Structures are given as C-alpha cells and as structure tokens.
Amino acid sequence: MALRLRGIRKRFGATVALDGVDLDLAPGEVHALIGENGAGKSTLLAIVAGEFPPDGGEMDIGGRPYRPSSPRDARAEGIALIHQELSLFPHLTVAENILMGREPARHGWLDGAAARARAREVLGAFERPEIRPEARVADLSLAARQVVEICRAIAADARVVLMDEPTSSLQGEDVQRLFALIRRLRERGLTVVYISHFLEEVRQVADRYTVLRDGRHGASGPLAATADAQLITHMVGRSIEALYPPRAAAPPAPEPLLAVEGLSTPPALHDVWFELRKGEVLGIAGLMGSGRSALVRALFGLFPPRAGRLVLGGRALPAPRATPRARLRLGLGYLSEDRKGEGLALSLPIADNVTLTRMSTCARAGWLSLAAQGRHARAAMERLGVKARTPFQPTRTLSGGNQQKV
C-alpha cells in the first residue's frame, strides 16, 4: 500500500471531526473521498499532510510508520496537498509560489532563470500563457490562482497527491486539463486522493471511493460497480427517491421585484438588462471572464457601474451611486466566491460574522447585546446545520464546509 490509515480520530473541543476512519491507498490509484459538508474529508487530508496531529489511530506509508510533525515532514515523505482554500503568497510571483521550499540554487544563490523555466514547464499542463512565472499572484484571477495552487503540488514531485476540491474555481477547459494531468500521474504510479461534491467529476477520474459520514467511515468500493443512488445513500444515511424534489410552480408575479436596465461597467459589462420576479431563481451562465462575477458585484455596489439603473420594488436607483451599505439597507445580500479572502472575518467569532450586516438586530441604544447576538447566530446555525460548539468560537476553527454555511 502507498498509504494506510487505521482508526484515525480527531476532535476540536466538543466537535468530533473524525471518529475511527480507515483508508487504504494503492500505488497508481485515484481514490475519491466523498461525503457531505462537515463529514471530515478536509480534516482527514490535513492530518495526512501534517497540518495537525491525529488524536488517535495509526498511519503508515510504504509499509513504514508515518506520523508527520509538520507539513514539511509530510513533503519530505512525498505527500503534497492542494488546499480547498488557496494557501498562496499573494505578494510573491507565480514561480516563487510554485517552487516555495524547492527553489533551484547555484552556488548558494537563487537561480531565478531556472525557477522560471521549471514553473513554465509545470504550468504548461494547463495551456494558460497568461499565467506567467514572473506575474504577481495578487494580480491573478481566482481561477488562475487555483491553477497555481495545483501546479505547486505537482512541482513537489510527490508520490501521494491530495486534492481537496481542486476544480472549485476552474472553468470547463481547465477542468479537463486537470483530469488529463491526473491520468498522467496515475500512469506514472502516483497515488491521488480526490475530494469533490460532484459525482460526475469523480467518475471521470477515480478508480475507487470512500464515503465519510459524520466523521465515520461510511462505505468503500470500486466506483464502476456502484450507482450514484447508492453513493448518495451512503453519504446522507438514507435512501433518496428524488435528488431534486418537484416544486410547485407558482404563478409569475405581475411586476418584477428587481429590474436591471442598461448596466455597464467597462470592460467587463456592457448594457446588461434583465428582470427578476418574486419567487424566481435566476441563473447567470458564462465562461470565466465573461462578466458573471462583475455583474453581481456591480449590483451590490462593489464595482460602481458607469451607467444604468436598478428598479427595486418599484423604486428607481441610479446604479453609479451604489454602495454595499445602501444595498444592504434595501434588502440585497451578497455571497462572495472567495470566502477566505473577502467573505468572512475568520479571526472573529461565528456570531460576529453572522450578524455583521445587521448589528441593529442585536443592539439596544448603541450597545451590542451578546445574548441577543447569540440567539440570532444559533438560529442561523440551526437552519443551515453549522457544526460548532458555540456561536462565539472563532470562525477559522470550523471546517471549510461549515465556514461556507456561516
């Protein structure tokens, strides 16, 4: 076995993240690790990658006992982790991020030309010429940063590559290039652990699967012999007759709740029009760079448009004077694609993050009531099933899935 885990346990205070998980990984295998949010998938990979120690259980790599005390120990043993949340240095270049800790040197000095050549070689798998080795990571799009994160793991020449939702910010062509890269790694005898919520993705690349449910081992087996319905049953613990239950079609409202007229934010948006009625869900589709994110950011006032207007509940609002504060007061909310960078204040408690846009609901005479704030936060946590000890624990202590719920 390339890597064997037995009885892995991990607890964060009162929250049991892992409760006796077993996992066997063979050389040249792509193994899918699947489960609902909060099932313990990212925690398990973080333990294997040396980010924190298990509370119990054993690991061995290539038949030898394995207990890394740090990510550096794990890298020395040939373990590379592609994080669900990007762990790049935004002020450094693409080449510096890709080769961090493995910089080529000559006579004790960094060999910049060799570093750029090696970075260019690894980046070649994605055919993205705009991602230049000398470019600063802070200047790249979220999708391009995801490519850099993947390339950093590949450049480590690892024997076991752990991929935690690596396609979360990638568009179709980059996803297919990643899958081709995974197949090449498998042909070279490397082991890949692949986390994804998309079963169609998993079936394209993985040989076997393991399901985690509530921190426990749910099931394992060959993917080709297991139907999607069985996988979903293992994940949620019950049979699901209809993945998407039928909804009663409500009659359309006569007047639009929101009308967007001539919204323009060059160069991303030009003369955008649409209407949204009460009870509707509007999907916005397009490739990376087509203006999808720019559109919702402009609606919320993060990118004040050059021209256009919004009509909200019959009230005309000139778009160029939009601010997030004004939009919040009008009842608009915004969920960012980058929860770590701009969606959450990770060092603050869950309660602060939940009530941040509506502090008035838990304050009196200008003073914050912690009791009221706790009640509001607990109600929101119950609605979305956030797994945490208390509303007042730091948000950074939660799993990625539970952070997303917050």
Side-chain angles (χ1 to χ4, degrees):
M1 283 292 161
L3 181 66
R4 186 191 302 269
L5 312 181
R6 285 291 178 269
I8 301 299
R9 289 179 166 79
K10 186 65 183 179
R11 177 189 291 269
F12 297 100
T15 302
V16 178
L18 297 171
D19 190 12
V21 173
D22 298 338
L23 186 64
D24 292 324
L25 303 172
E29 174 190 9
V30 180
H31 196 105
L33 191 61
I34 56 180
E36 293 187 291
N37 279 337
K41 307 182 297 297
S42 297
T43 301
L44 185 64
L45 295 197
I47 287 174
V48 174
E51 295 190 352
F52 38 73
D55 295 334
E58 299 177 350
M59 298 186 286
D60 67 64
I61 188 166
R64 295 177 290 104
Y66 170 65
R67 195 175 182 89
S69 59
S70 68
R72 184 175 182 178
D73 285 352
R75 288 196 298 270
E77 290 285 356
I79 305 288
L81 171 61
I82 298 171
H83 291 81
Q84 178 185 17
E85 295 183 348
L86 303 183
S87 59
L88 301 173
F89 298 95
H91 63 291
L92 298 181
T93 67
V94 169
E96 288 167 338
N97 273 277
I98 288 176
L99 298 172
M100 181 63 62
R102 302 179 64 87
E103 300 87 346
R106 179 183 296 176
H107 307 303
W109 294 87
L110 175 68
D111 189 338
R116 289 189 293 274
R118 174 59 176 152
R120 200 172 291 110
E121 176 188 348
V122 179
L123 285 165
F126 285 91
E127 302 176 17
R128 293 282 295 271
E130 75 278 13
I131 308 178
R132 296 172 289 106
E134 62 273 14
R136 200 167 66 114
V137 164
D139 298 330
L140 301 179
S141 68
L142 188 61
R145 295 183 197 185
Q146 183 93 56
V147 171
V148 175
E149 179 86 24
I150 293 168
C151 289
R152 183 168 66 175
I154 303 306
D157 294 325
R159 293 181 307 221
V160 178
V161 181
L162 313 173
M163 297 187 173
D164 192 352
E165 297 193 49
T167 64
S168 58
S169 299
L170 299 182
Q171 64 183 30
E173 289 184 355
D174 284 334
V175 171
Q176 293 308 315
R177 290 178 185 128
L178 174 63
F179 290 169
L181 178 61
I182 291 173
R183 296 182 189 105
R184 290 197 296 272
L185 295 177
R186 177 169 54 191
E187 291 167 2
R188 286 165 44 191
L190 274 68
T191 301
V192 176
V193 180
Y194 189 92
I195 290 180
S196 177
H197 288 106
F198 302 108
L199 296 182
E200 62 272 20
E201 277 191 9
V202 166
R203 290 195 179 279
Q204 288 192 56
V205 293
D207 308 298
R208 293 193 305 129
Y209 73 91
T210 292
V211 173
L212 294 187
R213 187 172 74 245
D214 297 327
R216 298 182 180 89
H217 182 280
S220 293
L223 264 173
T226 311
D228 284 353
Q230 292 176 279
L231 294 176
I232 295 168
T233 298
H234 291 316
M235 289 166 63
V236 302
R238 65 187 185 278
S239 176
I240 293 183
E241 303 302 328
L243 187 57
Y244 300 106
R247 294 189 301 171
E255 297 295 329
L257 178 65
L258 172 67
V260 175
E261 302 174 352
L263 197 68
S264 296
T265 307
L269 300 174
H270 299 278
D271 200 27
V272 176
W273 296 68
F274 67 83
E275 292 182 346
L276 182 66
R277 285 173 165 74
K278 186 176 181 179
E280 285 186 335
V281 177
L282 174 68
I284 301 171
L287 297 176
M288 290 289 180
S290 63
R292 300 168 307 167
S293 296
L295 173 57
V296 292
R297 292 173 76 87
L299 293 176
F300 194 64
L302 292 169
F303 289 163
R306 298 269 185 88
R309 71 171 189 163
L310 278 64
V311 180
L312 181 62
R315 179 182 175 186
L317 307 168
R321 294 202 295 270
T323 65
R325 182 177 182 178
R327 292 293 185 250
L328 283 170
R329 286 179 169 176
L330 292 168
L332 270 71
Y334 173 67
L335 179 60
S336 169
E337 64 181 342
D338 182 8
R339 68 166 176 262
K340 185 176 182 181
E342 60 185 23
L344 292 170
L346 291 171
S347 61
L348 294 183
I350 298 167
D352 281 355
N353 276 281
V354 168
T355 61
L356 200 57
T357 55
R358 282 291 184 271
M359 284 293 191
S360 59
T361 62
C362 46
R364 181 179 298 174
W367 292 88
L368 179 66
S369 167
L370 293 181
Q373 188 187 40
R375 287 195 299 272
H376 281 285
R378 285 190 186 92
M381 291 165 66
E382 289 174 5
R383 282 201 305 273
L384 290 178
V386 177
K387 293 183 178 179
R389 303 187 308 277
T390 163
F392 298 103
Q393 73 183 79
T395 308
R396 57 176 159 73
T397 62
L398 303 182
S399 69
N402 283 293
Q403 287 182 17
Q404 185 71 26
K405 293 177 184 179
V406 173

